[in-house]
């Protein structure tokens, strides 16, 4: 029998990425520090065991952390543009490995191959961004109120950055954090999701060669695996900043734990993203934005579209166009580019999806497009589900909750103010969008009385943000920002310096203190 792995060259890809035998052994790379329990990684595409990873024990973690701390002392002294040059080489290396890494992402996580490549492309893009940034870590200068004084601020590396990433973007989220941290002079210790550990190992293998070639201590990039490492990171006083991507529930715990020791956090938690479909919308554009937003990555992006808030005058038309599009969706092997929808990450996620549909029904939701588990040949992993659409009310508990699955709730509105209130009327605040050709509506949506999210788009869906902007959201999404714009500032400590080049010592605020 020809397996998906044979057909799509997975074995070859794993070999190129330095990962050992499929179905047996421990992977290399993580073995750097790994003497803990073994975790197995199964592909949600076909249920095959891809590989095993020996996780980090407490002692392994400690060893990694010590290497990181030592590496920091050296790395912070490397001029920022030189650090940028090393990140540039990482980008070059990722270009070389785009194909095998993209395949592994698709096979281990279950997103489509195109999205797997897209994710590696995001890594390459953030490297390019970070290279430029390495010459732009600017502080301000300000005029002192005292004569013959100069005042300015400068940014110094913050130390060790702990990165705890989620399964849905197994490689890109790490790179948004690590590449920026590195040009800032920090070192990074990464705990990838235990659902996609091989992606972590693969990235570490790629990065290690660049560090080695440049005689940079390996501790600049540490990989630790297994859930125990997450707790160790959160509680470790030596880690100045923890960047956590995951659920609001765990994020709340991370936030408290790290705050307790006065560490900093960047939290990228749940979203509950809506598209407002105005009566002035171009429905053919809504179709692409909404369907990709809701079913792309099988609804497992933080930015996935969960709610459609549709003007009553175009409601029936929009629903009929959506129903038609959902009827054409091909569900199946994510590596096969003819398919639109791949699997959920595991059976637990399938259960959450089924439970959510039941809850929606119980609360009075009306099924517009039926969901359910897809069974039969090609779906043996038990992780494939049918994208569904449910007519619901915004206040339903289930609508207020993020379910990481392709469930789209639809609802009606009559005034734009009402639509904005519905869009904002959830605990989360990550991404939002409006489809309209009305300038009035667009500006209202983007104004201070408009969307309360970290991302607000016009005539674009809620997912697929570019790396150049700061990524993150408000309210229960956690308030963190990473990736582009000036998100780098969170990875550095700001120092205000005042220099007196005169011969007197005047005090600020005109205070007299004569001796
Ligand atoms: C996430 O789901 O955690 O905007 C990140 C997007 C992607 C990133 C999503 N660039 O959809």
């Amino acid at each position: 029998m020809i397996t998906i792995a044979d057909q799509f060259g997975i074995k070859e890809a794993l070999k190129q990425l330095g990962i050992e035998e499929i179905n047996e052994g421990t992977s290399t790379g993580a073995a750097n520090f790994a003497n803990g329990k073994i975790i197995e990684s199964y592909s949600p595409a076909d249920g095959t065991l891809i590989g095993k990873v020996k996780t980090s024990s407490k002692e392994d973690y400690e060893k990694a952390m010590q290497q990181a701390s030592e590496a920091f002392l050296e790395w912070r002294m490397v001029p920022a543009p030189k650090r940028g040059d090393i990140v540039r080489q990482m980008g070059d290396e990722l270009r070389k490995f785009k194909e095998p890494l993209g395949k592994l992402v698709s096979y281990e996580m279950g997103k489509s191959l195109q999205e797997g490549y897209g994710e590696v492309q995001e890594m390459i893009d953030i490297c390019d961004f970070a290279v430029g940034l390495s010459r732009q870590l600017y502080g301000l200068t300000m005029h002192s109120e005292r004569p013959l004084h100069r005042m300015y601020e400068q940014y110094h590396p913050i130390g060790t950055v702990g990165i705890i990433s989620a399964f849905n973007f197994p490689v890109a989220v790490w790179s948004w954090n690590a590449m920026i941290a590195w040009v800032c002079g920090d070192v990074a210790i990464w705990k990838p999701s235990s659902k996609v550990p091989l992606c972590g190992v693969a990235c570490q293998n790629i990065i290690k060669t660049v560090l080695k070639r440049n005689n940079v201590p390996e501790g600049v990039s540490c990989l630790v695996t297994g859930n125990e490492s997450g707790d160790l990171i959160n509680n470790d006083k030596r880690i100045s900043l923890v960047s956590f991507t995951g659920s609001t529930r765990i994020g709340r715990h991370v936030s408290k734990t790290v705050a307790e020791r006065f560490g900093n956090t960047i939290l990228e938690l749940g979203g509950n993203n809506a598209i407002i479909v105005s009566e002035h919308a171009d429905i053919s554009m809504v179709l692409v934005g909404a369907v990709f937003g809701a079913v792309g990555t099988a609804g497992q992006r933080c930015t996935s579209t969960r709610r459609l808030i549709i003007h009553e005058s175009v409601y029936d038309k929009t629903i009929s166009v959506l129903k038609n599009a959902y009827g054409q969706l091909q569900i199946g092997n994510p590596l096969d580019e003819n398919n639109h929808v791949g699997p959920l990450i595991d059976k637990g996620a399938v259960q959450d999806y089924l439970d959510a549909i039941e809850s929606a029904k119980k609360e009075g939701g009306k099924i517009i497009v039926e969901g359910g588990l897809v069974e039969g040949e090609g779906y043996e992993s038990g992780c494939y589900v049918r994208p569904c659409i449910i007519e619901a009310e915004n206040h339903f508990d289930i609508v207020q909750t993020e379910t990481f699955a392709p469930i789209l709730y639809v609802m009606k509105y009559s005034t734009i103010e009402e639509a904005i209130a519905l869009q904002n009327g959830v605990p989360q605040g990550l991404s939002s969008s409006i489809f309209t050709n009305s300038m009035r509506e667009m500006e209202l949506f983007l104004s201070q009385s408009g969307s309360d999210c970290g991302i607000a788009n016009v005539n674009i869906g809620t997912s697929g943000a570019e790396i150049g902007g700061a990524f993150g959201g408000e309210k229960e999404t956690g308030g963190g920002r990473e990736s582009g714009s000036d998100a780098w500032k969170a990875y550095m400590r700001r120092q205000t310096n005042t220099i007196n080049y005169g011969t007197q010592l005047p005090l600020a605020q005109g205070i007299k203190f004569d001796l």
Side-chain angles (χ1 to χ4, degrees):
M1 200 185 97
I2 299 180
T3 63
I4 289 182
D6 294 335
Q7 202 184 341
F8 293 92
I10 298 297
K11 218 173 194 169
E12 187 51 34
L14 291 174
K15 208 165 137 197
Q16 279 173 272
L17 295 166
I19 292 173
E20 285 178 347
E21 294 292 285
I22 304 183
N23 292 342
E24 64 174 74
T26 55
S27 74
T28 58
N32 254 351
F33 306 116
N35 286 302
K37 282 192 301 243
I38 287 182
I39 42 176
E40 296 175 326
S41 176
Y42 290 89
S43 168
D46 59 3
T48 303
L49 177 64
I50 318 171
K52 298 178 184 180
V53 176
K54 260 185 168 180
T55 60
S56 317
S57 65
K58 205 170 172 190
E59 294 71 42
D60 300 325
Y61 171 85
E62 188 50 38
K63 221 163 93 188
M65 198 45 220
Q66 271 171 24
Q67 284 203 23
S69 303
E70 273 166 36
F72 175 60
L73 302 181
E74 202 173 316
W75 185 241
R76 69 178 174 182
M77 300 311 291
V78 176
K82 175 80 189 120
R83 296 194 294 253
D85 183 55
I86 291 167
V87 167
R88 181 190 58 74
Q89 296 174 42
M90 292 175 181
D92 289 347
E93 214 62 24
L94 287 166
R95 282 179 171 87
K96 276 195 232 157
F97 285 98
K98 181 170 175 179
E99 202 185 323
L101 188 57
K103 268 188 192 169
L104 174 61
V105 168
S106 172
Y107 192 54
E108 192 178 32
M109 183 275 162
K111 64 174 65 177
S112 77
L113 185 59
Q114 291 180 52
E115 289 181 63
Y117 291 148
E119 195 175 334
V120 183
Q121 187 57 47
E122 278 199 271
M123 302 174 84
I124 295 166
D125 294 342
I126 198 75
C127 287
D128 288 353
F129 180 89
V131 177
L133 180 66
S134 71
R135 291 182 185 269
Q136 301 174 74
L137 302 169
Y138 305 137
L140 297 171
T141 61
M142 47 294 277
H143 289 264
S144 168
E145 64 193 48
R146 289 168 281 183
L148 307 179
H149 278 55
R150 187 163 72 83
M151 227 173 134
Y152 70 103
E153 66 186 10
Q154 53 178 341
Y155 286 86
H156 291 308
I158 202 172
T160 302
V161 177
I163 304 165
I164 303 179
S165 60
F167 78 86
N168 64 334
F169 274 80
V171 292
V173 169
W174 162 73
S175 71
W176 296 351
N177 285 279
M179 301 303 165
I180 301 293
W182 286 330
V183 296
C184 290
D186 301 326
V187 298
I189 184 159
W190 178 27
K191 206 266 321 156
S193 159
S194 297
K195 296 179 181 187
V196 285
L198 297 174
C199 281
V201 175
C203 289
Q204 180 73 352
N205 288 348
I206 294 170
I207 296 310
K208 266 196 331 200
T209 58
V210 179
L211 296 179
K212 208 166 177 178
R213 194 195 308 146
N214 289 277
N215 290 320
V216 172
E218 249 184 44
V220 164
S221 173
C222 290
L223 177 79
V224 288
T225 50
N227 292 343
E228 197 192 354
S229 295
D231 282 338
L232 291 168
I233 287 175
N234 295 331
N235 285 294
D236 197 330
K237 279 193 179 150
R238 293 167 294 183
I239 297 185
S240 323
L241 170 68
V242 177
S243 177
F244 173 83
T245 304
S247 68
T248 294
R249 187 179 61 82
I250 302 181
R252 188 170 278 125
H253 166 73
V254 173
S255 171
K256 278 190 201 154
T257 312
V258 180
E260 185 67 35
R261 61 174 178 83
F262 295 106
N264 296 339
T265 47
I266 295 176
L267 300 172
E268 301 292 348
L269 315 178
N272 194 343
N273 320 297
I275 295 179
I276 297 174
V277 181
S278 141
E279 75 256 52
H280 308 294
D282 179 333
I283 300 291
S284 63
M285 283 168 74
V286 171
L287 183 67
V288 180
V291 178
F292 178 73
V295 315
T297 335
Q300 297 173 108
R301 291 191 191 213
C302 300
T303 52
S304 288
T305 307
R306 313 249 172 248
R307 298 175 295 143
L308 272 193
I309 303 166
I310 309 169
H311 191 265
E312 56 196 6
S313 68
V314 291
Y315 188 81
D316 291 343
K317 183 176 163 202
T318 308
I319 296 295
S320 112
V321 167
L322 279 174
K323 265 172 127 168
N324 183 38
Y326 269 55
Q328 290 166 31
L329 291 176
Q330 305 271 1
I331 304 166
N333 171 20
L335 288 143
D336 179 343
E337 299 197 29
N338 293 318
N339 291 326
H340 302 100
V341 186
L344 289 176
I345 184 68
D346 54 23
K347 288 183 181 160
V350 172
Q351 196 53 52
D352 291 345
Y353 156 89
L354 294 171
D355 291 349
I357 296 175
E358 278 315 302
S359 303
K361 278 192 209 158
K362 264 195 209 128
E363 288 188 83
K366 188 179 130 209
I367 303 291
I368 306 270
V369 173
E370 191 87 46
L373 185 67
V374 188
E375 285 167 300
E377 200 182 324
Y379 304 110
E380 290 83 359
S381 68
C383 296
Y384 292 89
V385 299
R386 231 165 258 122
C388 70
I389 302 181
I390 303 175
E391 191 177 66
E393 287 179 37
N394 206 51
H395 63 83
F396 289 180
D397 283 346
I398 197 64
V399 177
Q400 297 279 314
T401 313
E402 179 190 48
T403 305
F404 239 45
I407 303 173
L408 181 64
Y409 300 111
V410 292
M411 56 199 82
K412 275 183 206 166
Y413 77 88
S414 49
T415 67
I416 183 68
E417 289 77 12
E418 185 193 347
I420 292 172
L422 286 169
Q423 129 70 35
N424 292 342
V426 288
Q428 310 83 350
L430 179 54
S431 186
S432 58
S433 112
I434 187 168
F435 277 79
T436 184
N437 287 327
S438 153
M439 194 254 269
R440 241 202 80 239
E441 284 184 343
M442 172 185 111
E443 290 292 344
L444 193 65
F445 178 72
L446 299 176
S447 76
Q448 62 274 41
S449 59
S451 164
D452 63 3
C453 292
I455 297 170
N457 295 333
V458 177
N459 293 336
I460 293 176
T462 58
S463 66
E466 299 178 21
I467 60 100
F471 182 83
E474 308 300 338
K475 304 191 291 187
E476 286 192 4
T477 303
R481 292 295 185 279
E482 59 195 10
S483 192
S485 185
D486 66 352
W488 63 270
K489 288 183 177 168
Y491 300 80
M492 302 197 85
R493 59 183 171 87
R494 184 199 308 239
Q495 186 175 66
T496 303
N497 305 115
T498 310
I499 299 164
N500 176 1
Y501 58 95
T503 54
Q504 307 294 311
L505 187 56
L507 300 178
Q509 299 92 42
I511 291 170
K512 291 268 172 281
F513 189 73
D514 294 328
L515 290 172

